[in-house]
Amino acid sequence: MPRPPRFTRDDVIACALSIADDQGLEAVTMSAVAVLVGVTPMALYRHVDDKEHLLDLLVEAVLRELSDPDDRLSGWPRLEALARGLRAAAARHPNVFPLLLQRPAITGGSLTLRARIRDALRDCGIPAEELDRGERLVSTVALGFLASEAGGRFVDVPRDQRDLDFEILLALVHQGLPALERAS
Amino acid sequence: MPRPPRFTRDDVIACALSIADDQGLEAVTMSAVAVLVGVTPMALYRHVDDKEHLLDLLVEAVLRELSDPDDRLSGWPRLEALARGLRAAAARHPNVFPLLLQRPAITGGSLTLRARIRDALRDCGIPAEELDRGERLVSTVALGFLASEAGGRFVDVPRDQRDLDFEILLALVHQGLPALERAS
DNA sequence: ACCTGAACACCGTTCAAGT
DNA sequence: ACCTGAACACCGTTCAAGT
């Protein structure tokens, strides 16, 4: 007997994300998610391969929140806007963010983020053959800082100090871009 | 009846580390460690508070492997040597390394690492009031890259390219140091 | 077609009991 | 004092059965 599904994959993701935000990643258990969806844990497997898959979807959901880059910006300001958008997403979902560093960036959301970074770098004058490396360096520096911040490595550092840290890091990358051109 | 202990905390750490190296972090289960020690899982709790504590000890063990900085080096070369030493440790224990970003750096090993970085920065001419920030930035950049590398985010990037990435990252920080002096 | 109940293998951890 | 057996609460996951 065909029956209409009672919930969607997006429901699962939304519930898992809210648990992660409220109580941390380790609270994201299949049965906790199921309770929030209003269903038994086994029903989740209709929409999700397994727990690892669910975590990947969580990362995707966070990346999908990134707003499209402002078209009026170009070059360095555009790259900077990307970085600030990423930091805002990290602030909204600090518990999910460390996952970004843990798995290869091959899903849709992280691929488009990487493409956006490369576009901005090209716009900054980085030669085509250095775009891949530039993207790796920029995202490594950004994710390193943001994962540190989200992961609590800076808990004892006041907020305004961390804000300044971030600005300095941006300046560091900005002034380092010309060196990237020379690298090849 | 007093009895001599059959194993030490260091035995537990060594076994856990070898499991992590060989089969990954998720294979480090209390019972897997116990099997390798040659004892029941419950016996581990004599030497370790709980599993989280064991993971902290694992991080400590990796940090303790870092060799003392070469006294003949000073200034930037010394900082560079620290970074290369850290990368070598990450290469030996890629599965443990992502943990470094996950918890506050307040244990013995990471405190001495931080102190060494600050010492090297002072030696580079960074003013005293900027040493803390300098340490945060340097370790963030380094850990971000190394955790990315260890975590497999660069699996599809050939080794020699990653080596070059690392050199460029070092150069970026090197040339950015003067900006740090001006920050205050 | 969708969801569930029952069941399985595994996990971390406690505590009283054995030596 | 040190280790273990038994037990507990919890985990992810499967599969046949219900609707």
Side-chain angles (χ1 to χ4, degrees), chain B residues 1-3 6 39-40 42:
Chain B
M1 276 303 165
R3 279 206 281 162
R6 263 199 282 225
V39 94
T40 63
M42 302 81 88

Side-chain angles (χ1 to χ4, degrees), chain A residues 17 55-68 82 85-86 89-90 92-93 96-97 99-101 103-114 116-117 143 146:
Chain A
L17 188 55
L55 293 179
D56 283 340
L57 292 173
L58 231 47
V59 170
E60 274 299 288
V62 170
L63 288 176
R64 226 176 309 137
E65 281 188 15
L66 296 175
S67 52
D68 297 311
L82 280 174
L86 206 57
R92 278 192 301 272
H93 309 290
V96 178
F97 220 79
L99 286 181
L100 289 207
L101 270 179
R103 34 194 87 249
I106 51 174
T107 55
S110 53
L111 284 182
T112 73
L113 174 59
R114 289 173 62 184
R116 282 174 181 172
I117 294 176
L143 290 182
L146 297 177

Side-chain angles (χ1 to χ4, degrees), chain A residues 161 164-165 168, chain B residues 125-134 136-137 176-184:
Chain A
Q161 287 297 312
L164 224 183
D165 283 1
I168 293 178
Chain B
I126 304 297
E129 65 273 19
E130 290 300 323
L131 288 180
D132 279 351
R133 162 164 298 120
R136 287 198 296 276
L137 295 181
L177 284 187
L180 206 58
E181 301 179 36
R182 272 182 272 108
S184 51

